[in-house]
Amino acid sequence: MSIASFSAISSHELFIRRKRQFVTRAIQKPSTSTTSTEQLPIQPESDDHHSWRAISGGLNLPSTISNLLHLSAAPKALPVSFDHDQTPIFSPKEDICSLRSAIHGPVDWSPLLDPLHPSLRREILKYGEFAQATYDAFDNNPVSEYHGCSLYGRSRLVPLLGLSRHGYSVTKYLYATSHIDLPQWLLRPLLRSESRWCDESNWMGFVAVSGEAETRRIGLRDITVAWRGTVSPSEWLEDVQSRLEPLPCADDDGALVEKGFLSLYTSRSQSSRFTHSSASEQVMRELLRLVEFYKNKGEEVSVTITGHSLGGALALLNAAEAVSLLPADVRITVISFGAPRVGNQVFGDMLKRRGVKVLRVVTKQDVVPKVPGVVFNEGRKGKGWEWVYTHVGDELTLDVGASPYLKRGVVDIAGFHALETYLHLVDGFERAECRFRAGARRDVALVNKATGLLREELRIPACWYQPENKGMVRNEFGRWVLPRRDPEDIPSPCAEEKLIPSSSSSYS
């Protein structure tokens, strides 16, 4: 089973919004009990036990799937208070500069993971929200003339998505292309006869820098790179390629990474206005410029790279290149969510040897971190195992069953993989095998932005996050049309370059 099957399903834009009928499939053997305190949202169409046995081929299929995905149908009581809409959703931001060596520096952070240190939890959520922004700002409307780019200009993304409290400013947008030749009907929907965007390119994320207040709070200047997960058809097809090939920037010839991920990171297209240079060249040019600027000011600098799903894979490739090109005293950190395996054991050993700190946030029920390499995975070393995938870094393992807010006993592949589900579980995590923490503040409703995982008692609609009237507005003649974009939100390579401050500017 390929990474594409799940990475594409996981996209809350491509599959959840356009094909919602595939989002939730509950697989549960009909209950014979009349005292159950929780009704499953979807029951098998037939209550006939013989037909159920025939469908499952004589096997207990529901139990098999439940065991595989660590599901439990046992009901959990919702928190006593239902006034979740009457409490603040953010914890106060404390000064963590004394922890900079542990969180953003060279000190191993594994002692902070179990129990999860509150300050580290807040930092994980901060970077997770940057990764979520790459989905929320992506224009995936197939009839939009800017389909495939960001909905907002660089200066507007942070405030419009409610991220100003984090204290970062976006300095660069990142774009990627694919080497795969796609049929025209797949690239451009029939309803869109003219595009002001480039069908060969896709907006993949951004580079942001901490402002003065945030820099003082965390104790150093932090440069963040956020990579988006799979949304577009070309990215989906790239994911299909589950072959390993040598990593160009590796200092070891034995370091191998997945071909499709590497292609998206390193491909360029002369026919595209936005990918004359590859995503790799774009991000490294910006990182080198920013690091030089702040180090010349005498500041301590860290680079934190984040992403979800495919974005987590790109984050590892970005980190491998950054550690080979940036000064040795710049700390490189990766915080990924639901990321697949990227390379072999030699690749992982190379990152560890060169001091890259990697934290993989995974959910037991999510299948994406289990691929590529479902059959052969961790622990295979020595001659003959060079082509086996393995994970990198520390793992923070979450469990859907720990949250009393989520439905029980359902199989929702997309919901388990959704980034908002991850952030909800991080907010409630204290230590392994412990209940959801009482002090969790993140808005529970966000889980249902693109899924239907929340229990019906909460009365939060499934897949509620969408533009009003699907973005249509009335023009001066009273006709319904797609609105014209604000000039600041129109993608333009020339405008982008002009908006980026030179090294003589300062960021705040």
Side-chain angles (χ1 to χ4, degrees), residues 22-49:
F22 296 132
V23 170
T24 304
R25 294 292 184 269
I27 302 178
Q28 177 71 28
K29 185 172 180 178
S31 174
T32 58
S33 173
T34 59
T35 61
S36 174
T37 60
E38 182 179 35
Q39 181 70 28
L40 290 177
I42 300 177
Q43 295 287 355
E45 294 183 1
S46 172
D47 287 333
D48 183 81
H49 290 243

Side-chain angles (χ1 to χ4, degrees), residues 208-255:
V209 180
S210 61
E212 298 299 333
E214 180 68 2
T215 297
R216 287 192 297 271
R217 187 185 76 86
I218 63 179
L220 42 69
R221 185 73 64 170
D222 183 46
I223 304 171
T224 295
V225 183
W227 292 98
R228 180 174 56 75
T230 305
V231 171
S232 78
S234 59
E235 297 157 10
W236 191 92
L237 290 177
E238 283 286 10
D239 287 353
V240 174
Q241 306 178 52
S242 294
R243 298 188 324 204
L244 285 161
E245 66 176 31
L247 179 68
C249 63
D251 56 2
D252 192 317
D253 293 338

